[in-house]
Amino acid sequence: MAGAVHDPLRRETFWASDDQAWVDDSVLASAAEDPGRPGVLTSQPFQGLRSTGAELEELVEICRSFGIVRNPGSFALQVAHVAAGRASGAFELTGAAPWDIAGGIAVAQATGCTHLRLGQAPPGFGDWASHSYLITRDPARAAEIGPRLARLMAHGEVPEVFAKFMAI
């Protein structure tokens, strides 16, 4: 798979071929060589979804386990930042259209990031596609957190408490 993601604010382009990824002209380190900076990138809170207090607490705990929580833009850009080692993970539980993030997934896969599809693939797309994902530089972290996020997503999570957490 090949793909690209452009960050217009930083004037950077992340791009990848089958087994190599770059930001502009610099080769990106593989996830196995570099764990990346602490932090999770996400565009949550989720609008229009319902949740219970226990589910919200679980999501807050997951986010805090990564340390810093940021949103640098689109999910494709978040994934590219994880691939570049600028954060250790990114997740999206709703609304990531496969055609919008394919370039980010290509960059992440080329650097060896773990890519978990948390939902069903839309009709006509391959096994990589979904509307919900977790991307990490650490496969053990993905194995620990992926099922928790999938469980939360199945219940249809989040809004107000998470919005308060984001303001902390």
Side-chain angles (χ1 to χ4, degrees):
M1 182 188 299
V5 177
H6 183 69
D7 183 344
L9 298 178
R10 293 180 79 156
R11 296 183 178 158
E12 296 177 316
T13 300
F14 301 85
W15 55 288
S17 62
D18 288 331
D19 61 353
Q20 189 74 55
W22 299 262
V23 59
D24 296 326
D25 294 330
S26 300
V27 175
L28 295 178
S30 78
E33 297 168 4
D34 176 9
R37 294 182 193 152
V40 65
L41 307 176
T42 185
S43 56
Q44 309 314 325
F46 325 114
Q47 297 181 350
L49 297 176
R50 297 182 184 153
S51 61
T52 68
E55 292 162 347
L56 291 173
E57 291 300 321
E58 172 108 14
L59 183 62
V60 168
E61 181 184 320
I62 289 168
C63 289
R64 285 190 172 148
S65 76
F66 277 98
I68 301 163
V69 179
R70 293 215 163 101
N71 177 2
S74 74
F75 190 60
L77 187 56
Q78 293 172 22
V79 171
H81 280 251
V82 171
R86 295 177 182 170
S88 56
F91 68 87
E92 175 70 46
L93 299 186
T94 61
W99 50 88
D100 289 335
I101 65 144
I105 297 293
V107 175
Q109 288 179 339
T111 60
C113 290
T114 300
H115 157 235
L116 296 180
R117 186 185 79 202
L118 300 174
Q120 297 296 319
F125 287 89
D127 286 342
W128 66 272
S130 178
H131 294 290
S132 307
Y133 303 88
L134 169 65
I135 298 1
T136 71
R137 294 186 67 80
D138 178 358
R141 190 85 193 241
E144 171 201 348
I145 292 175
R148 293 170 69 189
L149 288 172
R151 193 171 51 252
L152 289 174
M153 190 185 69
H155 293 351
E157 284 352 67
V158 173
E160 303 85 29
V161 169
F162 192 77
K164 289 178 188 174
F165 170 71
M166 292 295 286
I168 292 173

